[in-house]
Amino acid sequence: MTVLMAGNNGLLVALETLRRQLDHDLFPLAIGDVASHRRAHKELIGQLDDYLLPRVAAMDAPLLAVVGGSTGAGKSTLVNSLAGADVTEPGVLRPTTLAPTLVANPADEAWFTRQSVLPGLARTTGRGRGEPGTLRIVTATSLPPGLALLDAPDIDSVVTANREIAAQLLAAADLWLFVTTASRYADEVPWGFLRSARERSTALAVVLDRVPPEALGPVAAHLHRLLDANGLAGAPLFSVPEVVLPEENARLPESAVRGVKDWLGAIAADAHARSEVVRRTLSGALESIGTRVPALADEADRQRAGLADLRLSVDSAYGAAMASFDDGIRDGSLLRGEVMARWQDFVGTGDFMRTLESRIGWLRERIVSAFTGRPAPDTRLRAALESGVEALVRSSADAAAERALEAWSGMPSGRDVIERAGAVSAGRLGRASASLPERASSAVRAWQGYVLELVAEEGAEKRTTARLASFSLNGAGLLLMLMVFASTGGLTGIEVGIAGGTSVLSQKLLEAVFGDQAVRTLTQAAREDLRERVGTVFEAEASRFTSLLDGLGPPEEMPGALRQAARAVRDHRGEIDAPVDAGVDKP
């Protein structure tokens, strides 16, 4: 009976906590070697699910030895020979092993069929090869209790899915039984896996298969030297001679596999030996968490920094749009063209600069008549101002969208986000949104209403009521709007004089009603309100970019939580050193 080992609760809880943290998408953006980081993330999740969690929960569970190796190394034939039964189907066609086959003693079958190990693989039983993506489980009475063999797909298979499942199975093993041949033992792909076993302290034995008798000595000696050079000097090495089999799927003679079979049998028969193998591999896997998880956390930090850079580039683009708008309302450019023509209609003359100082009263009368005796030119002036401000908002927003898209296109992470959005959306990002004109128009109209409210509130005081009445609320409001665009920095020639005169005249007329200090206060309030409303419009435009980042990347606290979870695993690692029979119910 297999039960939870006493004293392992702290480690199990730490591993479960770590596993929950890894459920997040840590690497959504193309930052750094993101393919490698995603692969490492997936591999760690797989090892937690397939090996660490089930093994820590049941330290006395049967030992799982995964038989892995290159194409044509004879893995399936070796498994059949060790099991003393035809449990897998060897053959000359490659790949032979489409679905992994696990063979166990009938006494251990329940442990593997209930998906404690490799929970992501559906179980099948019975004869046949099994379907890809499933784990076929068979039993063999000739295999000793306490030990299961798993025939894995080729590590160098031409089928990507086979290579991935082979790596997954090796990460779930208590023991690697690595099979190579006299002609393939120096290939780089197997040595990549062997070095991974060394780095994770995985229990390992190497089987040199299909060795011609005359080559046994020199090949075995060379392989020993390679194992030494790669830090695997202590790994047992077994040689299986090349044997002519009577038929394609025949098993090897007992004498050919006796060394491997006796070694595995000794481990299966000795609870202490099984425990030592389990603890060695488990300890190495736990030790690797101390480096693998912080490395993932560092890359998760880079993802968050990359997301921040993308947001910053959008903020910069629309901050520049706000600066451009500020320049546009201060440089006097809004007072040219249609606005200037409507202003001249409003005051009733084109040469007011010559008589400004002496004829303020006369101009005031003309303004009064404009509201009482003929079609309201103030309406046309207000419309011209509205149109000019809207055009400035649109041009600034277009430039910001182009700038933001260009910035994102210059960063791998930005290009990644743009590609996710699709070609149509990406094309629209490079210019202002279709709804901008309506939102800009609403913002400007709301601002004009606010300016009239300002004038009305200021004119409500008794000392200004009578003077305001001589201009009308709309007239004073328009003058205040013109004051917002008071500078003439962007104009030349005669336009400077006319626009400057417009500003001065507006100021003089308003000061005649409210006083100079009040005019300065009203102008500042009107300008700030306009900027705030336009800023809100730009924020909505910027959200077209930033909304693409919402939900991407790990939460802010995730990198720190990963590091903390790794520390918790490290702090509880000593729990696996408890005696093998602690807390175990004897059968």
Side-chain angles (χ1 to χ4, degrees), residues 49-329:
D49 290 343
D50 297 338
Y51 178 66
L52 286 169
L53 287 169
R55 175 51 76 189
V56 171
M59 293 286 291
D60 64 320
L63 188 75
L64 178 60
V66 173
V67 182
S70 303
T71 300
K75 299 182 297 298
S76 297
T77 299
L78 179 64
V79 170
N80 285 342
S81 303
L82 293 172
D86 295 332
V87 293
T88 69
E89 294 188 19
V92 296
L93 298 179
R94 306 298 175 205
T96 301
T97 304
L98 300 176
T101 296
L102 186 149
V103 54
N105 184 279
D108 298 328
E109 182 182 13
W111 167 251
F112 296 105
T113 55
R114 68 175 182 234
Q115 294 186 282
S116 300
V117 178
L118 296 164
L121 296 180
R123 268 49 172 173
T124 62
T125 57
R127 297 297 175 181
R129 292 189 176 187
E131 296 297 323
T134 65
L135 177 62
R136 177 171 163 264
I137 298 176
V138 297
T139 59
T141 56
S142 55
L143 200 68
L147 172 70
L149 297 177
L150 200 165
D151 182 19
D154 304 329
I155 60 173
D156 56 354
S157 173
V158 295
V159 180
T160 300
N162 281 358
R163 296 196 304 272
E164 292 177 348
I165 193 66
Q168 178 185 358
L169 297 178
L170 288 170
D174 294 305
L175 169 66
W176 287 14
L177 198 59
F178 211 84
V179 185
T180 187
T181 66
S183 61
R184 302 288 303 276
Y185 72 90
D187 290 357
E188 177 55 31
V189 172
W191 284 101
F193 279 86
L194 292 171
R195 283 189 288 269
S196 176
R198 178 202 64 201
E199 292 165 3
R200 299 182 188 181
S201 299
T202 303
L204 169 72
V206 178
V207 177
L208 181 59
D209 195 14
R210 298 178 176 174
V211 186
E214 67 277 9
L216 178 60
V219 170
H222 188 213
L223 181 52
H224 267 300
R225 290 196 297 272
L226 289 176
L227 289 169
D228 291 348
N230 284 274
L232 295 166
L237 174 60
F238 301 96
S239 297
V240 176
E242 188 173 41
V243 177
V244 178
L245 300 176
E247 54 188 20
E248 181 182 307
N249 60 351
R251 298 195 295 269
L252 295 166
E254 174 76 18
S255 59
V257 296
R258 182 173 294 117
V260 183
K261 191 171 185 178
D262 289 349
W263 181 72
L264 291 174
I267 293 174
D270 186 345
H272 179 73
R274 291 201 311 273
S275 174
E276 286 302 310
V277 170
V278 167
R279 293 179 198 286
R280 174 183 172 181
T281 300
L282 183 57
S283 179
L286 294 173
E287 176 72 23
S288 74
I289 285 177
T291 55
R292 295 159 74 190
V293 173
L296 292 178
D298 290 345
E299 295 304 327
D301 276 330
R302 287 187 65 189
Q303 287 280 321
R304 289 194 53 79
L307 285 166
D309 288 343
L310 291 176
R311 292 184 184 277
L312 182 62
S313 65
V314 175
D315 290 344
S316 176
Y318 283 91
M322 197 69 238
S324 176
F325 179 78
D326 284 339
D327 291 341
I329 65 174

Side-chain angles (χ1 to χ4, degrees), residues 354-370:
R354 296 192 300 271
T355 57
L356 176 62
E357 297 297 332
S358 61
R359 300 180 63 194
I360 289 293
W362 178 84
L363 288 170
R364 182 186 300 144
E365 292 173 1
R366 294 298 302 272
I367 292 172
V368 171
S369 69

Side-chain angles (χ1 to χ4, degrees), residues 10 114 213 218 275 285 334 339 344 380 390 433 436 540 542 552:
R114 68 175 182 234
S275 174
L334 282 173
V339 173
Q344 292 178 20
R380 294 192 294 273
E390 289 174 18
S433 67
L436 175 69
L552 284 182

